[in-house]
Amino acid sequence: AQSVAQPEDQVNVAEGNPLTVKCTYSVSGNPYLFWYVQYPNRGLQFLLKYITGDNLVKGSYGFEAEFNKSQTSFHLKKPSALVSDSALYFCAVMQYGNKLVFGAGTILRVKS
Amino acid sequence: DTGVSQNPRHKITKRGQNVTFRCDPISEHNRLYWYRQTLGQGPEFLTYFQNEAQLEKSRLLSDRFSAERPKGSFSTLEIQRTEQGDSAMYLCASSFREIDGYTFGSGTRLTVV
């Protein structure tokens, strides 16, 4: 079975500082990994994905994520946080031929 | 293309009433998904269509829930005899290929009173 863990309910960071939102996964075989962001009363917006290849993937709005197979992790990062990055972030995993399974989400608060 | 469209955006209904939601996917996407999201939780899979065929249903989808996708275009999700526990955000998503990920609509927020 596929599963995703986001160990932090909330991450607080000061504007301009680097941010990390953690994600670990459990899936047999090679995973497809995704990050989505959700603003209040809105659907989910795609940020980035890892399918294969380079372990460091770059996505929208300056976000990036690093796939670590040995640690089964896919942490979301940004070198310099903005107040406008404050939102709810979801990590998701997919096994080929299956559907997306989401983590419980992490609230990111960026303070000025 | 304007993305995935869901209607209505909000629905308030009395317990025991039936409700129907509509999802219009991106036109070239043959895959369509319904998810449910409750407060403080990630989206949970409900059902999946490839073209007009409903290929998978979650155990979360009780007999009161039914989904259709006639002619492989738009989809409807109906909940009969609504209960307060059905209150949630219902999200629709579509995709062309699995590796592309899903494009989500803005969701329909259901409140059962």
Side-chain angles (χ1 to χ4, degrees):
Chain A
Q2 307 171 139
S3 68
V4 177
Q6 293 182 242
E8 302 151 317
D9 291 336
Q10 184 166 318
V11 170
N12 298 310
V13 64
E15 188 175 32
N17 283 1
L19 69 87
T20 299
V21 182
K22 296 180 180 177
C23 171
T24 59
Y25 66 90
S26 173
V27 66
S28 57
N30 296 319
Y32 301 155
L33 295 157
F34 300 82
W35 276 99
Y36 284 82
V37 62
Q38 186 176 34
Y39 296 98
N41 296 313
R42 300 298 301 274
L44 278 68
Q45 295 178 29
F46 170 81
L47 278 179
L48 51 80
K49 65 181 179 183
Y50 171 81
I51 302 300
T52 187
D54 194 350
N55 289 344
L56 184 64
V57 294
K58 295 185 182 297
S60 307
Y61 313 119
F63 284 93
E64 59 189 28
E66 186 166 14
F67 171 63
N68 188 318
K69 189 171 185 177
S70 63
Q71 296 185 2
T72 62
S73 67
F74 190 56
H75 301 330
L76 180 70
K77 300 182 179 183
K78 187 173 182 180
S80 179
L82 300 173
V83 172
S84 58
D85 292 330
S86 299
L88 181 57
Y89 290 80
F90 290 100
C91 182
V93 65
M94 179 197 293
Q95 198 174 6
Y96 182 77
N98 219 318
K99 69 275 186 189
L100 271 180
V101 173
F102 288 86
T106 299
I107 297 170
L108 174 65
R109 295 202 192 281
V110 182
K111 297 183 178 179
S112 58
Chain B
D1 191 285
T2 56
V4 178
S5 177
Q6 290 190 248
N7 288 288
R9 291 294 307 276
H10 304 275
K11 178 71 176 178
I12 300 175
T13 191
K14 292 183 178 180
R15 189 176 54 184
Q17 297 294 305
N18 299 343
V19 294
T20 300
F21 311 140
R22 177 178 171 127
C23 172
D24 288 272
I26 292 173
S27 56
E28 61 266 27
H29 286 184
N30 58 0
R31 293 175 166 86
L32 186 147
Y33 308 85
W34 285 98
Y35 280 77
R36 181 171 68 187
Q37 184 181 19
T38 53
L39 199 62
Q41 299 295 322
E44 296 173 298
F45 171 77
L46 292 178
T47 190
Y48 157 53
F49 290 85
Q50 185 159 335
N51 299 312
E52 66 273 15
Q54 188 173 19
L55 297 186
E56 189 175 350
K57 289 172 60 174
S58 164
R59 276 174 274 182
L60 292 174
L61 219 61
S62 74
D63 292 344
R64 297 183 296 106
F65 287 72
S66 63
E68 294 183 340
R69 192 182 182 197
K71 302 179 182 178
S73 55
F74 71 92
S75 176
T76 58
L77 178 68
E78 181 184 16
I79 309 175
Q80 295 182 326
R81 305 181 303 281
T82 52
E83 301 172 356
Q84 286 189 322
D86 297 331
S87 295
M89 174 79 90
Y90 289 84
L91 295 166
C92 177
S94 68
S95 73
F96 180 65
R97 301 178 305 169
E98 289 175 332
I99 62 171
D100 296 332
Y102 303 171
T103 301
F104 281 84
S106 295
T108 294
R109 180 166 296 282
L110 173 66
T111 303
V112 181
V113 297

